[in-house]
Amino acid sequence: MSNINLIIEERAANIGKFMVGRLLPFREKRMVGPFIFIDHMGPVQMNERENMDVMPHPHIGLSTLTFLFEGSIMHRDTLGTAIEIKPGAVNWMTAGKGIVHSERTPEYLRHSTKTMHGLQIWVALPKELELMEPEFYHINEEDIPAWADGGLQYKLVAGEACGHQSPVPVYSKLYMLEIKSTTQQTVKIGSELYGESGLYILKGGIESDGNSFGPKQLLVAKDSTLCEFTIEANSTIYIFGGEPFAEERFIDWNFVATSKEIIEAAKQKWIAQQFDKIKGDETEFVPYPAPKR
């Protein structure tokens, strides 16, 4: 019997000037462990007149994880952070009670051709920490645990799995694991995982129980401990998940919380422009979306 409970096809979503492939949330599966939102961004080709400019916008109740395959993003936030994220590094921003950030093409790249490609992920915070003070951490690529085993190359982007722990300061039991293979291999890591588990195919494919799956598919496992499959040659996949929370999470725009009252308060605060401003990026902002008709 197949261990795959749900197959989610990547579907287009508009985030302003960019179209992204949205994986979570999905109507039949709102979260996988504490992971509540996953966008596959790109690959987007931009000419010398096109740039990424995600204007200042707020978050509450979550941590954001940005992980690039290609390109570069200049991150600024209301903690005073101004840092460039490059491929292989991890930006981990915990919004807690509220933070505002912007994501733009760095100045030195704005008049050249470029590519943007990566994952943008939201991880819900535990209820007791959803209104914590905001934090920001940048982890360089060389500090992310990486190892080889049986012809497979592993990288633990965040969390704890397979006897390794990422330096990304997460607040719940979770994992985000990259697996690459140049040849066809059998992957048996179920005993190393826990909670709920999802598998995203970025490149190549996998075979499980006689079924083949390819790029831009997210597979949600019934039981993470049964995670065994064949990975095809020249494939890159991401396995993520962890212990689910007991409480439901509500999402409204960029806000995540265990209660609609917390979200409504944040919404009104943003509409009134009472969040802190980003130093050096004060003049623009993303307005709260108008209701759909």
Side-chain angles (χ1 to χ4, degrees), residues 40-249:
H40 175 211
M41 178 176 57
V44 177
Q45 308 291 333
M46 291 177 281
N47 63 33
E48 61 276 6
R49 296 179 304 279
E50 297 172 315
N51 292 291
M52 178 179 183
D53 282 302
V54 180
M55 296 183 295
H57 59 281
H59 292 286
I60 65 164
L62 53 83
S63 296
T64 63
L65 189 161
T66 303
F67 187 70
L68 297 182
F69 311 130
E70 295 179 86
S72 181
I73 295 174
M74 190 67 191
H75 165 101
R76 289 185 173 86
D77 63 41
T78 43
L79 295 175
T81 311
I83 195 164
E84 182 182 355
I85 180 169
K86 296 182 178 182
V90 173
N91 259 22
W92 179 260
M93 182 183 76
T94 297
K97 67 181 185 180
I99 198 167
V100 178
H101 74 134
S102 64
E103 299 159 294
R104 300 182 185 270
T105 299
E107 195 60 41
Y108 73 95
L109 293 175
R110 295 185 73 84
H111 303 291
S112 61
T113 58
K114 52 216 160 263
T115 301
M116 183 63 63
H117 190 199
L119 293 173
Q120 293 205 305
I121 294 168
W122 295 359
V123 180
L125 286 167
K127 183 177 181 179
E128 66 272 16
L129 294 175
E130 65 180 339
L131 296 179
M132 66 180 281
E133 292 295 324
E135 296 178 343
F136 177 86
Y137 293 92
H138 178 87
I139 296 88
N140 292 322
E141 180 179 16
E142 59 268 23
D143 296 323
I144 300 296
W147 67 97
D149 184 14
L152 298 170
Q153 290 76 49
Y154 293 86
K155 185 179 289 186
L156 186 60
V157 178
E160 189 174 353
C162 303
H164 296 265
Q165 185 163 355
S166 168
V168 176
V170 302
Y171 287 100
S172 58
K173 286 278 288 180
L174 64 87
Y175 47 85
M176 179 179 170
L177 188 65
E178 176 189 88
I179 305 178
K180 292 186 176 183
S181 181
T182 56
T183 59
Q184 188 180 74
Q185 301 276 338
T186 299
V187 181
K188 296 181 181 180
I189 59 168
S191 61
E192 307 287 347
L193 305 179
Y194 47 89
E196 297 181 328
S197 187
L199 187 156
Y200 175 60
I201 304 167
L202 176 71
K203 175 185 172 186
I206 73 161
E207 188 269 332
S208 176
D209 299 306
N211 300 303
S212 296
F213 304 96
K216 299 188 177 182
Q217 287 188 316
L218 169 63
L219 313 178
V220 180
K222 293 176 183 175
D223 182 354
S224 66
T225 61
L226 300 177
C227 204
E228 180 178 332
F229 54 89
T230 299
I231 186 170
E232 302 300 333
N234 303 312
S235 294
T236 301
I237 65 171
Y238 291 87
I239 298 177
F240 64 92
E243 299 293 350
F245 295 130
E247 317 86 7
E248 182 182 1
R249 291 299 185 279

